[in-house]
Amino acid sequence: MSTPYPFTAIVGQDDLRLGLLLNAVSPAVGGVLVRGEKGTAKSTAVRALAALMPEVSVVPGCRFSCDPASPDPACPDGPHAEAAGVSRAARTVELPVGASEDRLVGALDIERALSEGVKAFEPGLLADAHRGILYVDEVNLLHDHLVDLLLDAAAMGASYVEREGVSVRHAARFLLVGTMNPEEGELRPQLLDRFGLTVEVAASRDTDERVEVVRRRLAYDDDPEGFAARWAEEETALRERIAAARALLPGVVLGDGVLRQIAATCAAFEVDGMRADIVMARTATALAAWAGREEVTADDVRQAALLALPHRRRRNPFDAPGLDEDKLDQTLDEAGPQENNGDDDPDPGPDGGGDGGGGGGVPPQADGDRTPPQASEGDDTPSQAPGSAPDAPGRSAGAEQQPVAAAEPFRTKMLSVPGLGEGAAGRRSRARTAHGRTTGAVRPQGALTKLHLAATVQAAAPHQRARGRSGRGLVVRRDDLRQATREGREGNLVLFVVDASGSMAARQRMSAVKGAVLSLLLDAYQRRDKVGLVTFRGKEAEVALPPTSSVDAAAARLESLPTGGRTPLAAGLLKAHDVLRVERLRDPSRRPLLVVVTDGRATGGPEPVALAGRAARLHQAEGTASVVVDCESGYVRLGLAGELARELGGTAVTLDELRADSIAGLVKDVTAAGRAA
């Protein structure tokens, strides 16, 4: 086994280290989600933490790591007789992104359960992680149903496996740590809320600190054991401090004054539900124990707020996490007793060397000033560049204009790909999936995971006499087993092709267009799609954003999108064709949905309309599902977007019909239903 990098040798990253240490002191805090760019020691710190965790005493031979002092009465390997326990190191169990449900929660032998009535259970990763650390790298890429199972087990402290009426339960209490790169996509807000703490990490911009990082890493790679030996004394001291804090934790007093500060802070920042209050209370208590104190102070509450609240304040995926620290200080001053403000506390802080805040725990606010990609409330006039004049109604379509803010986003109608796919699990188009409603049964290929009970009994019933059945039990053989086929929803690749030309450059109209695209991006985020963005204006088209799971990156590109110039519609469609061709090679199971946002006009070059028609028919020939969002406005309408939709073999909707609550869309749907009847 390779020697892990010492936790105490990590340079900087105070927030990351503090978040992990607080969970080591009090696993009830609820785990930590580490957000940051690649190469910032996220995985290194998590793996190094295992060496600091106290050893655990387990029942000999128990696959579920039962504590001999209080064994789990429902343990599948139990009941356990009284016996001396054996000590072992706490485990760090890693959950791969591509793991199956059975690998996570365990697998039940359905064949033996039906024929013999025996609960033959093979433990999964949740059982392995009991009383240790469960680490999920790239948790934002984990399938939603696995995330739900994982967080449910973390919340309840137990894992349940249900297979056609046969169930197994075992204890599953672990320190949950997830790491993610926000550039690769976000977690849903309700899943973010299930992590106790969130810390933001970024590479240091200090030259000396970066030099020290490289120096230590090279020394470790040259001689891992020798490097670890040089840090052994610091590791031992930190391990002893964790054990001391754990022992002190039950005696820490959470006074009514600081409890009122916690409640007032959560109310002031308008977080949803009560989980934030509970997590803050537990975090503040752990901070006091870590500092060696028996009473929680206002400083502990402040530190807890900076760790537990930023990710809970997000109202949509484009909001940057963060807290207004001036507002936080004002809330604490107004709600808390003056004697508990911690000003006279000589303790240097939870990390032993910080200043004021305690050596970490203040999430970086590098993105805190980022303006959300939507218009400010009450602001109808986007800012002008220095020296530029306001747009006039008759401004030339060929002149480039400054980017205009997007209108307020709205809930859109669901656009889906027709047919039945087999792509990654999501929430948009119909697909064959591992989860969903049962639609049939087939013979299993490999291990049986989803039994179709009725089909299995039907297959076994005709052979009971030949198999010598004499009792009440059904004689079932491997050939009788049937796997349930299920239909659910898949995520798609939604490729936006946005007209940014002069024909779309009127500020009010472009604001509405950006608002519509932003609304569709929100919808794509909620339905777990990949998104891409192609824009066209002037003489050419460009890929503003290659297909990615990070819809907030698409929103940022959309926000800064300039307008003006001619309308090379054909170039935009051809560029989209190239993008989709490459993506089909990379991920052939993910079906694309092409969303063209335009008024249908085409200018520039010889025969621009005919060329656009030929480009559109390329997509139709390949069976690409497409929707044209018609942005034409005014009393006189040419209907060019509808003609483009026919060339694509898709449908056209107006901006008004795109709204989920649109009256025009409702009338259109009812009329279509009436004709069908």
Side-chain angles (χ1 to χ4, degrees):
M1 181 177 179
S2 61
T3 304
Y5 192 92
F7 189 88
T8 51
I10 296 173
V11 179
Q13 304 296 13
D14 294 336
D15 302 324
L16 170 58
R17 292 187 290 119
L18 180 63
L20 293 172
L21 289 170
L22 291 178
N23 274 274
V25 171
S26 176
V29 165
V32 58
L33 176 66
V34 185
R35 296 163 43 91
E37 59 197 25
K38 53 187 177 292
T40 48
K42 299 187 298 292
S43 300
T44 298
V46 175
R47 296 186 177 106
L49 181 66
L52 302 176
M53 299 288 285
E55 289 189 340
V56 294
S57 178
V58 299
V59 173
C62 178
R63 297 175 298 168
F64 301 88
S65 303
C66 279
D67 186 350
S70 57
D72 181 8
C75 177
D77 284 355
H80 296 297
E82 293 185 7
V86 294
S87 294
R88 63 163 176 78
R91 294 172 178 160
T92 295
V93 177
E94 295 193 31
L95 172 61
V97 170
S100 65
E101 181 180 336
D102 286 343
R103 183 72 186 100
L104 176 62
V105 300
L108 197 63
D109 191 330
I110 301 296
E111 185 175 2
R112 291 188 63 190
L114 283 176
S115 59
E116 303 175 28
V118 176
K119 294 182 181 179
F121 182 69
E122 184 66 29
L125 295 176
L126 291 180
D128 293 342
H130 180 46
R131 305 176 68 197
I133 300 171
L134 182 61
Y135 172 45
V136 189
D137 193 14
E138 297 180 324
V139 65
N140 52 324
L141 304 183
L142 198 65
H143 286 172
D144 283 356
H145 70 281
L146 293 182
V147 175
D148 291 337
L149 289 170
L150 177 65
L151 296 178
D152 283 344
M156 296 185 297
S159 174
Y160 295 84
V161 182
E162 302 283 347
R163 292 289 188 275
E164 302 295 341
V166 182
S167 63
V168 172
R169 174 211 168 275
H170 65 82
R173 293 184 295 276
F174 46 81
L175 193 166
L176 176 63
V177 182
T179 57
M180 59 174 281
N181 183 351
E183 294 177 356
E184 297 171 344
E186 288 284 357
L187 277 175
R188 301 196 312 269
Q190 59 268 40
L191 299 182
L192 275 174
D193 183 58
R194 299 293 292 272
F195 282 93
L197 310 179
T198 295
V199 296
E200 299 277 336
V201 296
S204 173
R205 298 296 182 259
D206 180 81
T207 302
D208 292 337
E209 194 167 290
R210 294 175 74 96
V211 167
E212 186 61 23
V213 169
V214 174
R215 180 182 291 116
R216 293 186 186 183
R217 186 69 209 191
L218 293 177
Y220 170 77
D221 290 341
D222 289 342
D223 183 11
E225 293 183 359
F227 183 81
R230 290 196 293 275
W231 290 90
E233 185 175 344
E234 288 84 349
E235 292 281 289
T236 299
L238 190 56
R239 190 180 300 110
E240 292 174 351
R241 187 176 178 185
I242 292 174
R246 280 192 169 192
L248 180 61
L249 186 67
V252 174
V253 176
L254 185 69
D256 290 342
V258 292
L259 194 55
R260 177 171 290 276
Q261 285 183 311
I262 290 171
T265 301
C266 292
F269 285 99
E270 300 179 348
V271 296
D272 296 330
M274 296 297 299
R275 184 176 285 117
D277 304 62
I278 296 170
V279 171
M280 272 190 65
R282 290 173 173 166
T283 305
T285 304
L287 280 162
W290 179 243
R293 288 183 271 102
E294 295 184 351
E295 186 174 358
V296 177
T297 69
D299 278 350
D300 296 327
V301 176
R302 186 182 193 279
Q303 192 90 329
L306 291 168
L307 290 168
L309 295 188
H311 62 295
R312 292 185 165 89
R313 297 198 64 243
R314 302 182 72 199
R315 289 297 179 262
N316 67 62
F318 308 139
D319 291 339
L323 283 185
D324 183 340
E325 295 193 40
D326 291 337
K327 180 179 178 180
L328 174 60
D329 291 334
Q330 181 181 352
T331 303
L332 292 175
D333 289 341
E334 292 174 354
Q338 296 301 314
E339 62 271 21
N340 262 357
N341 60 14
D343 290 341
D344 298 326
D345 183 11
D347 185 83
D351 221 354
D355 49 0
V362 181
Q365 302 295 317
D367 295 329
D369 294 330
R370 171 180 156 188
T371 303
Q374 61 188 52
S376 301
E377 185 175 346
D379 181 12
D380 297 325
T381 56
S383 59
Q384 300 288 329
S388 65
D391 290 330
R395 180 169 179 170
S396 169
E400 180 173 325
Q401 301 177 22
Q402 293 298 317
V404 56
E408 190 72 22
F410 52 85
R411 189 167 64 90
T412 67
K413 289 189 175 182
M414 187 177 77
L415 308 176
S416 61
V417 178
L420 193 64
E422 296 182 345
R427 296 180 174 178
R428 184 172 297 278
S429 305
R430 294 173 53 221
R432 298 182 185 91
T433 59
H435 297 267
R437 64 184 181 89
T438 301
T439 58
V442 295
R443 291 180 182 271
Q445 301 295 323
L448 178 71
T449 55
K450 301 291 182 182
L451 177 74
H452 195 297
L453 183 58
T456 299
V457 172
Q458 187 177 9
H463 309 291
Q464 296 305 295
R465 181 176 296 178
R467 293 174 182 174
R469 173 185 171 185
S470 57
R472 297 178 60 185
L474 189 68
V475 181
V476 180
R477 294 181 179 172
R478 175 69 185 176
D479 291 342
D480 302 327
L481 298 178
R482 295 294 182 268
Q483 176 90 13
T485 57
R486 306 197 175 201
E487 182 179 311
R489 295 279 173 177
E490 67 177 358
N492 298 109
L493 166 59
V494 182
L495 181 61
F496 294 94
V497 181
V498 180
D499 184 349
S501 67
S503 67
M504 300 277 289
R507 279 194 173 278
Q508 186 175 2
R509 191 191 315 174
M510 198 62 203
S511 177
V513 168
K514 284 189 174 183
V517 178
L518 185 64
S519 303
L520 289 166
L521 284 170
L522 280 166
D523 182 69
Y525 166 79
Q526 293 162 354
R527 300 189 188 281
R528 313 302 287 169
D529 296 318
K530 289 180 69 176
V531 297
L533 180 62
V534 172
T535 63
F536 59 94
R537 57 181 291 274
K539 296 182 179 180
E540 59 185 15
E542 66 172 345
V543 180
L545 183 73
T548 175
S549 296
S550 180
V551 294
D552 56 342
R557 302 292 174 86
L558 179 72
E559 181 184 8
S560 59
L561 179 66
T563 60
R566 296 187 179 274
T567 312
L569 177 57
L573 295 174
L574 290 173
K575 182 68 71 174
H577 182 268
D578 291 341
V579 171
L580 293 181
R581 177 178 53 81
V582 173
E583 287 303 309
R584 284 190 180 99
L585 296 175
R586 289 177 176 171
D587 190 357
S589 65
R590 188 181 288 269
R591 297 187 295 165
L593 175 63
L594 184 68
V595 180
V596 185
V597 185
T598 181
D599 57 10
R601 289 179 171 84
T603 60
E607 300 184 344
V609 176
L611 187 59
R614 289 197 294 272
R617 289 191 290 275
L618 280 176
H619 290 280
Q620 183 183 31
E622 295 187 352
T624 302
S626 58
V627 175
V628 177
V629 180
D630 184 359
C631 303
E632 192 173 25
S633 62
Y635 294 106
V636 179
R637 295 174 181 264
L638 302 179
L640 297 176
E643 181 61 32
L644 176 63
R646 286 188 288 274
E647 296 279 11
L648 286 166
T651 58
V653 296
T654 65
L655 287 175
D656 183 53
E657 291 170 345
L658 189 61
R659 294 177 178 269
D661 55 356
S662 166
I663 296 177
L666 177 62
V667 172
K668 183 178 179 180
D669 290 345
V670 171
T671 304
R675 284 198 298 267

